[in-house]
Amino acid sequence: MSAPTYDLGKLHGGLRLEARKRQSTESPIVQVPVPGQLVLPITQHAGDPAQPIVGIGERVLKGQLIAETPGSLSAPVHASSSGKIVAIEPWPVSSRFGQKAPCIIIECDGEDRPIEAVEEAPAYDSLAPEVLLARILRGGIVGLGGAVFPTAQKLMQAVTCDIEYLILNGVECEPYISCDDMLMREYAREVLGGAQILLHALEIDTCFVVVESDKPEALHRLGEVLAELDDDRLVLKLVPTIYPSGGEDQLVQLVANREVPSGGLPTDVGCLVQNVGTAAAIYDWIFHNEPLISRVTTVTGNGVARPVNVEARLGTTVANIVAHIGGYTEDAKQLVIGGPMTGKSVTTDSVPLVKASNCILVISERRDGGAEMPCIRCGDCAAVCPVQLLPQQLFWYACADNEAKLRSHGLTDCIECGCCDLVCPSHIPLTFDFRMAKARIRELADEKARAERARQRFEARNERLEKEREEREAELAQQKEDAKKAGADAIAEIMKRRQQKDEED
Ligand code: SF4
Ligand code: SF4
C-alpha cells in the first residue's frame, strides 16, 4: 500500500469549524434492536416516490421489496424486518420538517426472518457492468452522504461519460457528524470492497479514498485493509478539515484539481463521487444479498444522555433510538435531523430513521442567530462561499423574486452549506432564503412543464379530432360514390333485362 498523499487542489472559501465529534466517537457503534413497529416512507431518495406493492395485513420478511420504482428516477424500499403491514398512511418525516408523508408501517413479529435469495448470485467481477448496475438498482441503494440520489441511476449516467476517477468520499466536515468516521473504523473492509465493486461497474482503474487528516483511527484501519487487499487501484488521499470540503464539487477540486462547471456535474470533468457509506451498502447487497435496510447514524448534542453512533434499522423512530441510548437530558430543546449547518429541525421525535439520516442532533438551541438586520455590504459572505457566489446579491434577487437574475447569478449552484449565514454580521438567514428561492424556481419550472404537457395534449387532441373528421368525410364520400355506382349498375341491369325481354318478344 502506498502512503496517503496530500497533492491537493485549492478550495475556495469555507470555514474551520469546531468539530464537536469527540463525544460520539469514544465508544464503538451501538446496535439498536429491531423495534415493535417500523415506519418506512416511500420517498427516501431524490426523485419520484416508490410505489407500494404490499397490502394491509400482508406478512413480509426482512429484505423483502415492499415498494418498487415507478420506472423513473427513484429507488425501491425494502422491509427492514419481518412482520405484518398494518397501515399505509401519512406519518411525520424529517424530509418535510416533521410534516406527514406517505409511509408503510410494519408491525414487527420479533423474529427478524430474512427473505431467502432465489438463487446464489455469481461473483460480481464475472458480471458484465450493465448486469451489475441493474443488480445495484434492485438493492434500494442511494447516496448516503445526504443527497440520497439513487446510486444505480447515478452510475448509469456516469458510464455514458468519460470517467477517469472514482472518488470515495470519507470527508465528513460538518460539526457533530461522525457516522462515516465510525463506519470507516469498523467497516473498512465493506467500504473498500464496495469501492472495488464500483470500479468494476465503471470499468475504470483509479479510486481515491479521501479522508480528513483529523481522522487517524479511520485512516489507520483503512490502511490495514488496503494492505490486505493489495489493490493498487485504491489510493488513500488526505484532505485538511475545512467545511465544506466534503461537497462533491469541492472534493473534485481538492482531490483531482478539476473545476466542475457551473450547472455541471463531476462526471463532466471525469470524476464520480460516492460516499463511503454508499460503498459499504453496495458491498452488503452484492456479497450478502442485504438491501439498504439499516444505517449508521450519529446521535449527539447536549440534549442526549450518551452521544454515540448507532446502527439501526430504517424505519426505527428517533424516539426509539434515543431511548435505547439512555434518553434525553434536560437540555433537550431542539431536534435536528442532520448536522447544525445543513440539517432540518423537526418538531417531533416520532420521525423515522431514513436513508438520508446521518445524524440525530439534540441541542438546547440551534444557533444564536440574533435579530436580523439590514445588509451592510461587508462582503464576508462572498469571502467564505465555496462556490464563489455573491450571496449578498443573491439575497437581493431572492427578496425581489427575480428568477432570471437568481439563475444568472448561479443560485442553482448554491450547495446550501450555510457558511454565508454563519459569518453574516447582520444575521440574515441567507441559506434559508436561497432554499426557498430554489423551491420557488423548481415550482415555476414544474408549472411550466405541466403547462407544456397540457398544451401538447390539447394539440394532440385537436390533431386526432381533425384526423377523425377527415376520415369520416372520406368514408362518406366513398359511401356516396359506392351508392352512385350501385345505382348506375342497377339501372344498367334493368336496361339490360328490358332489352333482353324486347328481343325475346
Ligand atoms: S455578510 Fe451579511 S451583511 Fe455582509 S454582505 Fe453578506 S449579507 Fe450583507
Ligand atoms: S449557502 Fe450557498 S451562497 Fe451561502 S456560502 Fe454556501 S454555497 Fe455559498
Side-chain angles (χ1 to χ4, degrees):
M1 184 201 95
S2 54
T5 56
Y6 286 88
D7 44 331
L8 301 172
K10 182 161 171 19
L11 180 74
H12 184 273
L15 291 168
R16 282 188 191 274
L17 302 172
E18 200 183 333
R20 297 174 186 261
K21 299 181 193 241
R22 201 160 45 83
Q23 310 90 305
S24 60
T25 52
E26 283 179 336
S27 49
I29 296 171
V30 171
Q31 297 294 325
V32 176
V34 177
Q37 179 176 278
L38 291 162
V39 180
L40 292 156
I42 56 171
T43 305
Q44 298 186 47
H45 47 263
D48 296 326
Q51 289 173 349
I53 55 165
V54 285
I56 293 167
E58 198 172 319
R59 298 216 151 263
V60 292
L61 296 169
K62 172 184 162 188
Q64 183 177 329
L65 180 70
I66 56 171
E68 62 185 10
T69 60
S72 51
L73 179 69
S74 184
V77 178
H78 300 78
S80 310
S81 186
S82 58
K84 190 168 81 174
I85 307 290
V86 291
I88 301 176
E89 64 183 23
W91 188 280
V93 294
S94 50
S95 60
R96 293 199 181 174
F97 302 92
Q99 298 298 304
K100 292 180 177 180
C103 294
I104 300 174
I105 300 170
I106 301 174
E107 190 180 86
C108 300
D109 57 19
E111 294 177 23
D112 205 27
R113 272 183 304 138
I115 191 163
E116 280 177 22
V118 184
E119 57 187 57
E120 185 132 331
Y124 79 85
D125 50 2
S126 69
L127 297 174
E130 58 277 14
V131 178
L132 183 56
L133 290 178
R135 182 153 159 64
I136 293 172
L137 180 67
R138 293 196 293 277
I141 298 158
V142 301
L144 295 183
V148 285
F149 197 90
T151 301
Q153 278 141 323
K154 185 170 175 179
L155 293 169
M156 284 168 184
Q157 186 268 337
V159 292
T160 64
C161 307
D162 197 9
I163 298 294
E164 196 178 352
Y165 302 133
L166 167 66
I167 298 177
L168 206 59
N169 189 352
V171 176
E172 196 171 40
C173 47
E174 189 164 351
Y176 285 103
I177 308 174
S178 59
C179 58
D180 286 347
D181 183 5
M182 294 306 293
L183 184 94
M184 290 187 285
R185 293 188 203 187
E186 298 193 22
Y187 294 102
R189 180 71 192 80
E190 287 77 0
V191 169
L192 297 175
Q196 289 176 312
I197 297 169
L198 285 165
L199 286 176
H200 180 72
L202 294 165
E203 297 184 278
I204 57 170
D205 288 324
T206 308
C207 170
F208 296 131
V209 184
V210 193
V211 187
E212 288 154 299
S213 48
D214 69 345
K215 295 184 172 54
E217 294 89 349
L219 192 65
H220 175 71
R221 184 63 194 128
L222 288 169
E224 282 181 343
V225 177
L226 276 176
E228 285 163 28
L229 292 174
D230 194 22
D231 183 344
D232 57 14
R233 298 174 305 165
L234 307 175
V235 181
L236 262 183
K237 284 226 178 210
L238 283 184
V239 295
T241 309
I242 297 172
Y243 179 81
S245 52
E248 284 207 348
D249 296 358
Q250 289 63 45
L251 205 58
V252 169
Q253 178 75 59
L254 266 176
V255 175
N257 204 6
R258 296 177 184 181
E259 188 171 332
V260 177
S262 170
L265 294 169
T267 49
D268 296 334
V269 291
C271 298
L272 180 78
V273 182
Q274 289 288 350
N275 173 264
V276 286
T278 312
I282 289 174
Y283 181 93
D284 287 339
W285 172 233
I286 298 299
F287 277 91
H288 304 306
N289 210 37
E290 184 162 301
L292 184 51
I293 56 169
S294 66
R295 70 158 296 152
V296 177
T297 190
T298 307
V299 191
T300 189
N302 58 354
V304 289
R306 183 188 168 204
V308 73
N309 275 275
V310 302
E311 185 166 7
R313 299 293 168 87
L314 301 180
T316 310
T317 61
V318 166
N320 268 320
I321 293 172
V322 174
H324 183 69
I325 56 159
Y328 297 107
T329 67
E330 58 188 23
D331 287 324
K333 299 282 186 297
Q334 281 202 47
L335 172 60
V336 179
I337 305 298
M341 304 293 281
T342 59
K344 290 180 170 149
S345 293
V346 293
T347 47
T348 167
D349 62 1
S350 62
V351 294
L353 183 81
V354 292
K355 295 174 184 179
S357 315
N358 54 2
C359 183
I360 296 166
L361 178 62
V362 190
I363 42 179
S364 45
E365 199 168 2
R366 185 160 189 186
R367 207 179 288 159
D368 184 18
E372 184 178 334
M373 290 185 294
C375 170
I376 54 167
R377 296 188 174 273
C378 63
D380 288 357
C381 50
V384 297
C385 178
V387 192
Q388 304 188 53
L389 301 175
L390 297 170
Q392 74 276 35
Q393 263 178 276
L394 283 174
F395 171 63
W396 293 120
Y397 298 137
C399 292
D401 235 348
N402 190 333
E403 187 198 336
K405 287 283 186 191
L406 283 168
R407 277 186 191 279
S408 64
H409 280 71
L411 178 71
T412 48
D413 290 331
C414 166
I415 58 170
E416 298 174 21
C417 64
C419 286
C420 50
D421 22 333
L422 201 65
V423 298
C424 176
S426 297
H427 308 297
I428 301 171
L430 296 159
T431 312
F432 177 80
D433 290 335
F434 300 157
R435 203 174 279 156
M436 293 298 114
K438 278 185 185 179
R440 276 199 302 278
I441 289 178
R442 267 197 306 272
E443 258 169 45
L444 278 175
D446 286 352
E447 228 167 78
K448 267 189 202 158
R450 273 198 300 276
E452 175 60 17
R453 280 198 297 275
R455 187 189 64 75
Q456 284 173 359
R457 273 201 305 275
F458 179 71
E459 284 181 4
R461 176 180 172 276
N462 283 354
E463 240 171 66
R464 179 174 52 78
L465 290 177
E466 179 64 16
K467 198 167 163 230
E468 282 173 7
R469 191 184 60 74
E470 281 172 11
E471 281 170 1
R472 260 202 320 276
E473 278 179 10
E475 205 178 311
L476 219 60
Q478 186 62 47
Q479 279 170 1
K480 272 188 194 161
E481 187 62 30
D482 290 351
K484 213 160 134 193
K485 191 165 177 285
D489 289 351
I491 291 167
E493 182 64 22
I494 292 167
M495 294 299 289
K496 192 173 151 198
R497 282 205 204 124
R498 201 173 276 173
Q499 194 179 351
Q500 274 173 357
K501 194 163 180 291
D502 287 351
E503 282 168 12
E504 282 165 17
D505 290 346

CSV table of all heavy atoms in Angstrom, one decimal, residues 208-233:
chain,number,residue,atom,x,y,z
A,208,PHE,N,-9.8,7.2,-5.6
A,208,PHE,CA,-9.2,7.9,-4.5
A,208,PHE,C,-10.1,7.8,-3.3
A,208,PHE,O,-11.3,8.1,-3.3
A,208,PHE,CB,-9.1,9.4,-4.8
A,208,PHE,CG,-8.1,9.7,-6.0
A,208,PHE,CD1,-8.5,10.5,-7.0
A,208,PHE,CD2,-6.8,9.1,-6.0
A,208,PHE,CE1,-7.6,10.8,-8.1
A,208,PHE,CE2,-6.0,9.4,-7.0
A,208,PHE,CZ,-6.4,10.2,-8.1
A,209,VAL,N,-9.5,7.2,-2.2
A,209,VAL,CA,-10.3,7.1,-0.9
A,209,VAL,C,-9.9,8.3,-0.1
A,209,VAL,O,-8.7,8.4,0.3
A,209,VAL,CB,-9.9,5.8,-0.2
A,209,VAL,CG1,-10.8,5.6,1.0
A,209,VAL,CG2,-10.1,4.6,-1.2
A,210,VAL,N,-10.8,9.2,0.1
A,210,VAL,CA,-10.5,10.5,0.7
A,210,VAL,C,-10.9,10.7,2.1
A,210,VAL,O,-12.1,10.5,2.4
A,210,VAL,CB,-11.0,11.7,-0.2
A,210,VAL,CG1,-10.4,13.0,0.2
A,210,VAL,CG2,-10.8,11.4,-1.7
A,211,VAL,N,-10.0,11.0,3.0
A,211,VAL,CA,-10.3,11.1,4.4
A,211,VAL,C,-9.6,12.4,4.9
A,211,VAL,O,-8.6,12.8,4.4
A,211,VAL,CB,-9.7,9.9,5.2
A,211,VAL,CG1,-10.1,9.9,6.6
A,211,VAL,CG2,-10.1,8.6,4.5
A,212,GLU,N,-10.3,13.0,5.9
A,212,GLU,CA,-9.7,14.2,6.5
A,212,GLU,C,-8.6,13.8,7.5
A,212,GLU,O,-8.6,12.8,8.1
A,212,GLU,CB,-10.8,15.0,7.3
A,212,GLU,CG,-11.8,15.7,6.5
A,212,GLU,CD,-13.1,15.8,7.2
A,212,GLU,OE1,-13.7,14.8,7.6
A,212,GLU,OE2,-13.5,17.0,7.4
A,213,SER,N,-7.6,14.8,7.6
A,213,SER,CA,-6.4,14.5,8.4
A,213,SER,C,-6.7,14.3,9.9
A,213,SER,O,-5.9,13.9,10.6
A,213,SER,CB,-5.4,15.5,8.1
A,213,SER,OG,-6.0,16.8,8.2
A,214,ASP,N,-7.9,14.8,10.3
A,214,ASP,CA,-8.2,14.6,11.7
A,214,ASP,C,-8.9,13.3,12.1
A,214,ASP,O,-9.6,13.2,13.1
A,214,ASP,CB,-9.1,15.8,12.2
A,214,ASP,CG,-10.5,15.8,11.7
A,214,ASP,OD1,-10.8,15.0,10.7
A,214,ASP,OD2,-11.4,16.5,12.2
A,215,LYS,N,-8.8,12.3,11.2
A,215,LYS,CA,-9.4,11.0,11.5
A,215,LYS,C,-8.4,9.9,11.5
A,215,LYS,O,-8.4,9.0,10.6
A,215,LYS,CB,-10.5,10.7,10.4
A,215,LYS,CG,-11.7,11.7,10.5
A,215,LYS,CD,-12.8,11.3,9.5
A,215,LYS,CE,-14.0,12.1,9.6
A,215,LYS,NZ,-13.8,13.5,9.6
A,216,PRO,N,-7.4,10.0,12.4
A,216,PRO,CA,-6.3,9.0,12.4
A,216,PRO,C,-6.8,7.5,12.5
A,216,PRO,O,-6.2,6.6,11.9
A,216,PRO,CB,-5.4,9.4,13.5
A,216,PRO,CG,-6.3,10.3,14.4
A,216,PRO,CD,-7.3,10.9,13.5
A,217,GLU,N,-7.8,7.3,13.3
A,217,GLU,CA,-8.2,5.9,13.5
A,217,GLU,C,-8.8,5.3,12.3
A,217,GLU,O,-8.5,4.2,11.9
A,217,GLU,CB,-9.3,5.8,14.7
A,217,GLU,CG,-8.8,6.1,16.0
A,217,GLU,CD,-8.9,7.6,16.3
A,217,GLU,OE1,-9.2,8.4,15.4
A,217,GLU,OE2,-8.7,8.0,17.5
A,218,ALA,N,-9.6,6.1,11.6
A,218,ALA,CA,-10.2,5.6,10.3
A,218,ALA,C,-9.1,5.4,9.3
A,218,ALA,O,-9.1,4.4,8.6
A,218,ALA,CB,-11.2,6.6,9.8
A,219,LEU,N,-8.2,6.3,9.3
A,219,LEU,CA,-7.1,6.2,8.3
A,219,LEU,C,-6.2,5.0,8.6
A,219,LEU,O,-5.9,4.2,7.6
A,219,LEU,CB,-6.2,7.5,8.5
A,219,LEU,CG,-5.2,7.7,7.4
A,219,LEU,CD1,-5.8,7.9,6.1
A,219,LEU,CD2,-4.3,8.9,7.8
A,220,HIS,N,-6.0,4.7,9.8
A,220,HIS,CA,-5.2,3.5,10.2
A,220,HIS,C,-5.9,2.3,9.8
A,220,HIS,O,-5.3,1.4,9.2
A,220,HIS,CB,-5.0,3.5,11.7
A,220,HIS,CG,-4.3,2.3,12.2
A,220,HIS,ND1,-2.9,2.1,12.0
A,220,HIS,CD2,-4.7,1.2,12.9
A,220,HIS,CE1,-2.6,0.9,12.5
A,220,HIS,NE2,-3.7,0.4,13.1
A,221,ARG,N,-7.2,2.2,10.1
A,221,ARG,CA,-7.9,0.9,9.7
A,221,ARG,C,-8.0,0.8,8.2
A,221,ARG,O,-7.9,-0.3,7.7
A,221,ARG,CB,-9.3,1.0,10.4
A,221,ARG,CG,-10.1,-0.2,10.2
A,221,ARG,CD,-9.5,-1.4,10.9
A,221,ARG,NE,-10.2,-2.6,10.4
A,221,ARG,CZ,-9.6,-3.7,9.9
A,221,ARG,NH1,-8.3,-3.8,9.8
A,221,ARG,NH2,-10.3,-4.7,9.4
A,222,LEU,N,-8.3,1.9,7.5
A,222,LEU,CA,-8.3,1.8,6.0
A,222,LEU,C,-7.0,1.3,5.5
A,222,LEU,O,-6.9,0.4,4.6
A,222,LEU,CB,-8.7,3.1,5.4
A,222,LEU,CG,-10.1,3.6,5.6
A,222,LEU,CD1,-10.2,5.1,5.1
A,222,LEU,CD2,-11.1,2.7,4.8
A,223,GLY,N,-5.9,1.8,6.1
A,223,GLY,CA,-4.6,1.4,5.7
A,223,GLY,C,-4.3,-0.1,5.9
A,223,GLY,O,-3.8,-0.8,5.0
A,224,GLU,N,-4.8,-0.6,7.0
A,224,GLU,CA,-4.6,-2.1,7.3
A,224,GLU,C,-5.4,-2.9,6.2
A,224,GLU,O,-4.8,-3.9,5.7
A,224,GLU,CB,-5.2,-2.4,8.7
A,224,GLU,CG,-4.4,-2.0,9.8
A,224,GLU,CD,-5.0,-2.4,11.1
A,224,GLU,OE1,-6.2,-2.6,11.2
A,224,GLU,OE2,-4.2,-2.4,12.1
A,225,VAL,N,-6.6,-2.5,5.9
A,225,VAL,CA,-7.4,-3.3,5.0
A,225,VAL,C,-6.8,-3.2,3.6
A,225,VAL,O,-6.7,-4.1,2.8
A,225,VAL,CB,-8.9,-2.9,5.0
A,225,VAL,CG1,-9.7,-3.6,3.9
A,225,VAL,CG2,-9.5,-3.1,6.4
A,226,LEU,N,-6.3,-2.0,3.3
A,226,LEU,CA,-5.7,-1.8,1.9
A,226,LEU,C,-4.5,-2.7,1.8
A,226,LEU,O,-4.2,-3.3,0.7
A,226,LEU,CB,-5.3,-0.3,1.8
A,226,LEU,CG,-6.4,0.6,1.3
A,226,LEU,CD1,-5.8,2.1,1.3
A,226,LEU,CD2,-6.9,0.2,-0.1
A,227,ALA,N,-3.7,-2.8,2.9
A,227,ALA,CA,-2.5,-3.7,2.8
A,227,ALA,C,-3.0,-5.1,2.5
A,227,ALA,O,-2.3,-5.9,1.8
A,227,ALA,CB,-1.7,-3.6,4.1
A,228,GLU,N,-4.1,-5.6,3.2
A,228,GLU,CA,-4.6,-6.9,3.0
A,228,GLU,C,-5.0,-7.1,1.5
A,228,GLU,O,-4.8,-8.1,0.9
A,228,GLU,CB,-5.8,-7.2,3.9
A,228,GLU,CG,-5.4,-7.5,5.3
A,228,GLU,CD,-6.6,-7.3,6.2
A,228,GLU,OE1,-7.8,-7.5,5.8
A,228,GLU,OE2,-6.4,-6.9,7.4
A,229,LEU,N,-5.7,-6.1,1.0
A,229,LEU,CA,-6.3,-6.2,-0.3
A,229,LEU,C,-5.2,-6.2,-1.4
A,229,LEU,O,-5.4,-6.7,-2.5
A,229,LEU,CB,-7.3,-5.1,-0.6
A,229,LEU,CG,-8.6,-5.2,0.2
A,229,LEU,CD1,-9.5,-3.9,0.0
A,229,LEU,CD2,-9.4,-6.4,-0.1
A,230,ASP,N,-4.2,-5.4,-1.1
A,230,ASP,CA,-3.1,-5.3,-2.1
A,230,ASP,C,-3.6,-4.9,-3.5
A,230,ASP,O,-3.3,-5.6,-4.5
A,230,ASP,CB,-2.3,-6.6,-2.1
A,230,ASP,CG,-0.9,-6.4,-2.8
A,230,ASP,OD1,-0.5,-5.3,-2.9
A,230,ASP,OD2,-0.4,-7.4,-3.3
A,231,ASP,N,-4.4,-3.9,-3.5
A,231,ASP,CA,-5.0,-3.5,-4.8
A,231,ASP,C,-4.6,-2.1,-5.1
A,231,ASP,O,-5.0,-1.1,-4.4
A,231,ASP,CB,-6.6,-3.5,-4.6
A,231,ASP,CG,-7.3,-3.2,-5.9
A,231,ASP,OD1,-6.7,-2.6,-6.8
A,231,ASP,OD2,-8.5,-3.5,-5.9
A,232,ASP,N,-3.6,-1.9,-6.0
A,232,ASP,CA,-3.1,-0.6,-6.2
A,232,ASP,C,-4.0,0.4,-7.0
A,232,ASP,O,-3.6,1.5,-7.3
A,232,ASP,CB,-1.7,-0.6,-6.8
A,232,ASP,CG,-1.6,-1.3,-8.1
A,232,ASP,OD1,-2.7,-1.6,-8.7
A,232,ASP,OD2,-0.5,-1.7,-8.6
A,233,ARG,N,-5.2,-0.1,-7.3
A,233,ARG,CA,-6.2,0.8,-7.9
A,233,ARG,C,-6.8,1.8,-6.8
A,233,ARG,O,-7.3,2.8,-7.1
A,233,ARG,CB,-7.3,0.1,-8.5
A,233,ARG,CG,-6.9,-0.8,-9.7
A,233,ARG,CD,-8.0,-1.7,-10.1
A,233,ARG,NE,-8.6,-2.4,-9.0
A,233,ARG,CZ,-9.8,-3.0,-9.1
A,233,ARG,NH1,-10.5,-3.0,-10.2
A,233,ARG,NH2,-10.3,-3.7,-8.1
